[in-house]
Amino acid sequence: MVRFPVHTLARIRHVFFEVFMTQFRLLPCFFIACLVFTGCESKTTVTGKVTFDGTPIETGSIVFTVASGSGVPVTGEIKNGDYSLAVPNGSYKVQVMASKKFMSNPTNKSEAPVEEFRDMIPARYKGLNTELTATVDGKPINFDLKSETPKKK
């Protein structure tokens, strides 16, 4: 058995404690930073269908923005009318964007038709003034967009 002088053992304990406390002192700060930057809110996966005049939107995007205007908007992809994205429960304004491929009609008969992409979603479903709203609570949310403005009674 090796015997160390008392002052050596005290020095070893002191060095060990100093290194341990220096290395792990920031651990609680790390956990707090993780909570702050990732948010403490639990997220719910929202799924649903998006149709335009009864037809599923082939490709596009959907954006959920917190109704109060605070928070970061969450964007998801629309494929064959279906979407899925993770957002915290609550009330949202919803924007939908999609374009459709058209063949242009040339003015001269010698010109060949050219593929063009045109926005197919009316302005009332896009931007910060969108008329679409949703309450996320774990249930599927479907949107049936119309090309015509609904007539007021």
Side-chain angles (χ1 to χ4, degrees):
M1 178 170 176
V2 178
R3 296 200 121 162
F4 292 101
V6 175
H7 69 282
T8 305
L9 290 176
R11 179 74 180 138
I12 291 172
R13 271 186 270 150
H14 177 72
V15 169
F16 176 78
F17 183 73
E18 192 173 326
V19 169
F20 181 80
M21 290 306 291
T22 304
Q23 295 298 321
F24 295 104
R25 183 179 335 158
L26 299 177
L27 197 58
C29 296
F30 174 77
F31 285 120
I32 291 170
C34 287
L35 288 175
V36 168
F37 290 114
T38 60
C40 299
E41 299 175 279
S42 62
K43 294 187 177 186
T44 301
T45 299
V46 181
T47 60
K49 294 194 174 292
V50 183
T51 58
F52 185 70
D53 288 335
T55 305
I57 293 177
E58 288 180 33
T59 59
S61 59
I62 187 165
V63 180
F64 278 62
T65 305
V66 177
S68 67
S70 64
V72 178
V74 179
T75 304
E77 189 176 7
I78 301 170
K79 282 195 171 196
N80 300 318
D82 297 319
Y83 74 92
S84 177
L85 55 115
V87 296
N89 289 345
S91 297
Y92 291 87
K93 289 183 176 183
V94 180
Q95 302 173 53
V96 175
M97 280 100 26
S99 56
K100 192 170 188 174
K101 182 171 43 171
F102 292 92
M103 297 302 286
S104 69
N105 293 327
T107 53
N108 293 333
K109 292 186 179 188
S110 62
E111 294 177 0
V114 177
E115 284 184 353
E116 291 181 0
F117 288 90
R118 296 183 193 156
D119 194 6
M120 63 183 271
I121 305 298
R124 67 180 181 275
Y125 300 125
K126 300 182 291 187
L128 296 176
N129 295 323
T130 178
E131 61 186 49
L132 296 175
T133 59
T135 300
V136 175
D137 57 6
K139 298 175 186 164
I141 303 172
N142 299 322
F143 298 98
D144 186 22
L145 312 180
K146 304 290 183 194
S147 57
E148 297 293 321
T149 304
K151 301 205 189 293
K152 295 184 180 181
K153 295 180 182 181

